[in-house]
């Protein structure tokens, strides 16, 4: 059997691929990221980071970096003021009223920061912990065998073959890895076509910053200067997008003619919605847009992909260390989450369609969103705070465990801080330390802490590296059930 050059090769150096590299390196997994584009060469974009992703970033000690990066987003306060969204809590189909119910989260806000800043933060973390990131290289071939994957990579020096134990496609909606692996990508055909561009615009005050709904479509002007349009039931050209197409779309929708100079980019996208038939075939896996694409309504795409990475990272690390069983849960847990996001974005596209009938529907939905239960339901869906990896007899299992202050022998510590190693956390709140003693044969893989806390879900909590509850026990002296849970989630006891 041939030896592998890396445990994992990640195709795609965007936020999802880099986040996955960060997660793998927490477990010492040798990781190579190959990215076709040079640093900063991606299309400029502002990413919306919602509550659940922010909670996860707190558990990886990245939240402060993300919050600092948002301060560099120009004109953000003015943008939110024009949308009457100064609370920065997001929208549903352009209705900026989310987060105004009774839903509670640790991070009751959203952040808006550039993709370039996001990638810079995650690149520093990934390379600082030992990941290798190669720009100007792309995957062009795959061949699996029993011991790994032979990956053909092309760069400026030519073509070479790199062996990896596993390959993860984080290479976007047109994923080469997905196509090479033969994974189907079924979904719906587009009903809308959108253009987006960034450049210097003359007389831009005629179309102020924010979202504008017109009789023929939507016009959006973002705080970073991007201009975007969305129209329904128009043919999607097969030729590369042009700035002339964008200006004509602006004119059709608003009646205004804008002049662009110093154009940095122009792009075109649709509301085509697709979900990979499976997230894994053998030693090849998918994450982010390679696994799911949808209209960017509510800014959910980056969050969905980053959470894919955090769900996959520790499971893939376990597989690299000889415990592949957890990998099966990646598909069963994350595909339903993506399916729900695709469902709500399709609903948002329908609710954004121009026309008098939809006008009436929007007024009704806006009225319904004034009720806490309705607002909470849609807020949870967009924030990602409705994700629950349950399905068993105990409804607590699978919830995201909220942060709290824990009193330990070493002093007071936050639960979120105890998860920053990326290992499972056994929290013993029994006052006996019995669970800590039970977990000692797993101490090389599980962090066990005896503490006191108010309002805990159970006397003993086994918390996964991604923050979700794996097992809960109510007995002061847990025994066989805890050992079974530790074996299921962390592997056999140390001999």
């Amino acid at each position: 059997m041939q030896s592998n050059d890396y445990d994992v090769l990640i195709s795609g150096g965007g936020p999802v691929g880099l986040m996955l590299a960060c997660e793998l390196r927490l477990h010492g997994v040798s990781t190579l990221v190959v990215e076709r584009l040079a640093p900063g060469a991606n299309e400029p974009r502002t990413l919306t980071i919602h509550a659940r992703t922010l909670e996860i970033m707190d558990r990886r000690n990245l939240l402060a970096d993300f919050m600092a990066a948002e301060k560099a987003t120009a004109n953000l306060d003015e943008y939110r003021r024009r949308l009457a969204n100064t609370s920065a809590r997001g929208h549903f189909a352009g209705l900026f009223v989310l987060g105004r119910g009774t839903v509670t989260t640790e991070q009751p806000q959203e952040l808006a920061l550039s993709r370039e800043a996001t990638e810079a933060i995650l690149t520093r973390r990934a390379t600082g912990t030992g990941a290798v990131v190669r720009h100007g290289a792309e995957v062009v071939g795959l061949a699996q065998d029993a011991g790994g994957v032979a990956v053909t990579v092309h760069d400026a020096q030519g073509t070479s073959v790199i062996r990896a134990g596993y390959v993860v496609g984080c290479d976007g909606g047109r994923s080469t890895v997905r196509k090479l692996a033969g994974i189907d990508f079924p979904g719906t055909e587009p009903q809308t076509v959108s253009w987006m561009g960034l450049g210097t615009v003359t007389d831009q005050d005629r179309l102020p910053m924010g979202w504008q709904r017109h009789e023929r479509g939507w016009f959006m002007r973002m705080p970073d200067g991007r201009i975007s349009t969305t129209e329904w039931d128009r043919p999607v050209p097969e030729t590369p997008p042009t700035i002339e197409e964008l200006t004509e779309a602006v004119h059709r929708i608003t009646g205004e003619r804008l002049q662009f100079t110093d154009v940095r980019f122009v792009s075109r996208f649709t509301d085509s919605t697709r979900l990979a038939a499976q997230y894994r075939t053998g030693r090849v896996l998918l994450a982010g847009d390679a696994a799911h694409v949808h209209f960017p309504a509510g800014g959910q795409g980056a969050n969905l992909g980053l959470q894919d990475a955090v769900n996959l990272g520790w499971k893939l690390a376990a597989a690299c260390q000889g415990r592949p069983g957890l990998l099966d849960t990646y598909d069963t847990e994350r595909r339903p989450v993506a399916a729900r996001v695709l469902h709500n974005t399709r609903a948002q596209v329908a609710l954004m369609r121009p026309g008098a009938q939809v006008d009436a529907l929007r007024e009704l939905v806006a009225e319904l969103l004034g009720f806490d239960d309705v607002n909470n339901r849609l807020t949870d869906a967009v924030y990602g705070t409705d994700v629950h990896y349950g399905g068993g007899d105990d409804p607590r299992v699978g919830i995201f465990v909220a942060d709290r202050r824990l009193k330990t022998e070493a002093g007071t510590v936050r639960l979120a801080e105890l998860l920053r190693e990326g290992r499972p956390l056994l929290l013993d709140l029994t006052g006996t330390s019995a669970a800590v003693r039970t977990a000692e044969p797993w101490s090389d893989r599980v962090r066990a802490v005896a503490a006191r806390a108010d309002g805990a879900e159970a006397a003993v909590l086994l918390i996964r590296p991604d923050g979700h509850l794996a097992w809960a026990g109510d007995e002061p002296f847990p025994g066989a059930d805890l050992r079974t849970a530790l074996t299921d989630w962390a592997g056999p006891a140390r001999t």
Side-chain angles (χ1 to χ4, degrees), residues 337-357:
V337 174
R340 291 199 300 273
V341 170
L342 269 56
H343 183 267
N344 88 54
T345 55
R346 278 194 292 255
Q348 291 189 66
V349 170
L351 193 57
M352 292 172 69
R353 179 183 281 271
Q357 290 180 318

Side-chain angles (χ1 to χ4, degrees), residues 9-12 33-36 137-142 149-155 160 162 167-169 171 175-178 180:
L9 185 148
I10 300 169
S11 176
V33 180
V34 295
E35 165 57 45
R36 178 176 58 87
E138 61 179 323
V139 172
V140 295
L142 295 174
V149 187
V151 187
T152 305
V153 175
H154 182 76
D155 60 17
S160 60
I162 300 171
V167 172
V168 185
D171 48 349
S175 171
T176 298
V177 169
R178 185 188 65 240
L180 291 171

Side-chain angles (χ1 to χ4, degrees), residues 337-396:
V337 174
R340 291 199 300 273
V341 170
L342 269 56
H343 183 267
N344 88 54
T345 55
R346 278 194 292 255
Q348 291 189 66
V349 170
L351 193 57
M352 292 172 69
R353 179 183 281 271
Q357 290 180 318
V358 180
D359 289 345
L361 180 61
R362 288 178 65 82
E363 292 175 6
L364 177 60
V365 171
E367 181 180 342
L368 292 174
L369 282 166
F371 293 95
D372 282 354
D373 286 349
V374 178
N375 199 299
N376 292 345
R377 174 74 176 270
L378 293 184
T379 297
D380 278 335
V382 173
Y383 280 15
T385 45
D386 64 348
V387 175
H388 180 200
Y389 301 134
D393 295 332
D394 189 339
R396 297 170 297 186

